[in-house]
Amino acid sequence: MTAAPVKIYVTAYCPYCHAALRLLDDKGVTYERVDVDGDRAARAWLRDETGQSTVAQVFIGGRSVGGYSDIAALDRRGELDNLLHPPT
């Protein structure tokens, strides 16, 4: 099974970021962590790309899937694994 690339945008002080990272770590997901503390350009890009001004923001396979609450809901419904490991 091939894993979809995962990128997560976080700040150091955000509890939701820590929760999202913990969820991905618990699932054994390899991800690229992008710290956006003080990076106005990255935060502006995230707002434009996702319509959200909050972090964490998670992208799976290049597609925005939301923040911690969103990926936790996907996991509870059993849908997160399908996004992380799409059928080939």
Side-chain angles (χ1 to χ4, degrees), residues 6-65:
V6 177
K7 188 180 281 193
I8 180 168
Y9 294 84
V10 299
T11 61
Y13 54 83
C14 168
Y16 291 101
C17 297
H18 294 288
L21 291 166
R22 189 170 41 255
L23 174 61
L24 294 174
D25 287 340
D26 289 348
K27 295 190 80 55
V29 174
T30 300
Y31 53 83
E32 178 183 351
R33 175 183 171 151
V34 181
D35 291 303
V36 295
D37 281 313
D39 187 339
R40 289 181 182 204
R43 295 296 293 262
W45 178 83
L46 278 173
R47 275 190 303 278
D48 291 344
E49 191 69 22
T50 68
Q52 302 294 318
S53 60
T54 59
V55 287
Q57 288 298 320
V58 180
F59 288 74
I60 300 174
R63 185 178 75 120
S64 173
V65 294

Side-chain angles (χ1 to χ4, degrees), residues 27 60 63 65 70-87:
K27 295 190 80 55
I60 300 174
R63 185 178 75 120
V65 294
D70 301 302
I71 64 170
L74 287 168
D75 193 40
R76 283 191 301 276
R77 292 192 307 263
E79 298 171 17
L80 184 58
D81 288 334
N82 291 333
L83 290 174
L84 294 169
H85 304 284

